[in-house]
Amino acid sequence: MWLFLPVLVAVLFLLRRWYLERQMVENLTEKYVFITGCDSGFGNQLARQLDAQGLRVLASCLTPEAAEQLEKVTSDRLKTTLLDVTNTENVAAATEWVKTCVGNKGLWGLVNNAGIGYPVGLNECLRKEDFAKVLEVNLLGLIDVTLHMLPLVRRARGRVVNLSSVLGRLAISGGGYCLSKFAVEAFSDSLRRELSPFGIRVSIIEPGGFATNMLNNPEQHLQGVFSRIPPHVKEYYGQSYLDAYHKYICYVGKFSNKNICLVTNCIEHALTSCYPRTRYSAGWDAKFLFLPASYLPSAIIDYIFRIALPKPAQAV
């Protein structure tokens, strides 16, 4: 009989969570949400999705063309602005624009979605500026936007939603992308604990592989990186290893999920549920491959990666 007790507790816990997570925030049509990176991908889909739900969406795009196109397919409630998250003056100006839009209501939701994936590759094949390029957008830009917008979020006792990745749990390649997502996880955790006493919720979205512009043309990006590999690095690894690594990165991109609504639905829930989750995983690869693998001993993961690629030319 005692064997059934843990099962009963688990079932009751899941039923309770199922019930609480379906309690929706009231007056959503009066709440403002600011989203970065709405040119394409998750940000673009989320802006259209929240607009259809009646929320007041403030969408930032990098280019005027993207902003104009988004306005054409959404209602008059949605407003756009141009934002380069790596430019602090630009971020400050966007904050003032949001302040004039929301007035005394404050900002209910801040969605830090803007991000880039490349350059990526073997760490020894990259330069310091390759790492910095990704970190400037995915991490420092996210932090800058958050720090500027927090007073407005606090006024509404709202939500901060940060786009991370399963690669913030398990690094599968060199370059700045995995570094940035590990750091986003850390920043979000510390921010959540700091803001919880003020009634502000912070959620992290951890998608698996999805087909967005971030993963477009991996061959082109990798060719640029591999074309400037130092001679000594080529000698260490050997051409067969470098070719296999190239195919490995391209292979990951080709099998990405095309249903990006799996991600935007998680973000919508984090913004509209009375009891949002701390973390959301999106995609079957995230739930059943990357996240479980991240809990395995490092020796097992290292072995899997060793057998996935040929042995480097000068490996001992």
Side-chain angles (χ1 to χ4, degrees):
M1 178 178 176
W2 292 107
L3 295 175
F4 292 100
L5 185 59
V7 176
L8 178 61
V9 171
V11 170
L12 291 176
F13 171 79
L14 292 174
L15 285 174
R16 178 179 180 273
R17 192 175 77 165
W18 177 85
Y19 173 76
L20 291 176
E21 288 185 348
R22 277 153 182 75
Q23 308 307 305
M24 293 293 105
V25 173
E26 297 180 350
N27 300 321
L28 286 173
T29 56
E30 300 300 319
K31 298 189 182 300
Y32 289 86
V33 177
F34 180 74
I35 310 167
T36 65
C38 294
D39 299 69
S40 60
F42 301 143
N44 188 275
Q45 171 62 31
L46 179 66
R48 291 185 283 114
Q49 190 169 319
L50 295 182
D51 177 65
Q53 296 292 339
L55 279 81
R56 299 182 179 273
V57 178
L58 306 175
S60 70
C61 298
L62 186 61
T63 66
E65 295 78 14
E68 183 180 350
Q69 183 61 33
L70 181 58
E71 289 177 345
K72 288 180 179 179
V73 295
T74 52
S75 73
D76 293 337
R77 290 187 305 273
L78 184 142
K79 299 179 181 180
T80 62
T81 189
L82 300 181
L83 173 62
D84 177 359
V85 298
T86 67
N87 186 322
T88 297
E89 292 181 358
N90 204 190
V91 172
T95 304
E96 290 301 315
W97 175 77
V98 171
K99 190 182 297 184
T100 61
C101 292
V102 304
N104 293 327
K105 293 182 178 179
L107 182 63
W108 172 253
L110 167 62
V111 182
N112 285 305
N113 165 74
I116 59 174
Y118 299 108
V120 66
L122 285 168
N123 287 312
E124 280 193 284
C125 298
L126 299 169
R127 302 166 298 190
K128 176 183 176 182
E129 50 265 35
D130 293 326
F131 290 88
K133 179 180 179 181
V134 180
L135 293 171
E136 281 286 343
V137 178
N138 294 3
L139 175 61
L140 299 180
L142 178 150
I143 293 173
D144 199 16
V145 171
T146 301
L147 296 181
H148 275 83
M149 297 285 180
L150 270 183
L152 299 176
V153 178
R154 181 177 279 108
R155 185 179 301 171
R157 296 183 66 183
R159 311 282 171 83
V160 178
V161 182
N162 291 331
L163 264 291
S164 180
S165 168
V166 289
L167 302 188
R169 298 282 200 101
L170 183 68
I172 66 169
S173 67
Y177 185 78
C178 293
L179 294 180
S180 68
K181 295 307 181 181
F182 269 84
V184 166
E185 296 270 342
F187 175 69
S188 301
D189 280 344
S190 62
L191 191 69
R192 183 181 68 254
R193 297 182 186 108
E194 292 171 4
L195 298 181
S196 177
F198 301 99
I200 299 172
R201 303 293 188 93
V202 178
S203 296
I204 306 171
I205 312 297
E206 298 173 330
F210 284 86
T212 65
N213 285 349
M214 186 180 292
L215 293 175
N216 278 353
N217 301 318
E219 294 88 352
Q220 180 181 343
H221 288 279
L222 288 169
Q223 284 172 2
V225 171
F226 278 61
S227 65
R228 49 181 169 80
I229 298 177
H232 69 278
V233 174
K234 284 186 178 181
E235 184 179 348
Y236 292 151
Y237 287 97
Q239 193 60 47
S240 62
Y241 183 94
L242 295 175
D243 290 342
Y245 192 91
H246 186 287
K247 291 179 181 178
Y248 158 71
I249 297 296
C250 294
Y251 178 87
V252 173
K254 286 179 180 178
F255 288 89
S256 299
N257 196 323
K258 293 180 173 57
N259 184 13
I260 63 175
C261 287
L262 294 176
V263 178
T264 57
N265 289 343
C266 291
I267 303 173
E268 181 181 339
H269 186 270
L271 292 169
T272 60
S273 173
C274 292
Y275 301 94
R277 298 183 185 182
T278 300
R279 279 179 168 81
Y280 294 82
S281 59
W284 292 110
D285 56 341
K287 296 177 186 295
F288 298 108
L289 179 59
F290 287 103
L291 292 181
S294 70
Y295 292 103
L296 292 175
S298 296
I300 296 177
I301 299 301
D302 293 347
Y303 175 75
I304 293 173
F305 277 92
R306 280 200 301 271
I307 64 176
L309 293 168
K311 191 175 183 180
Q314 296 190 18
V316 295

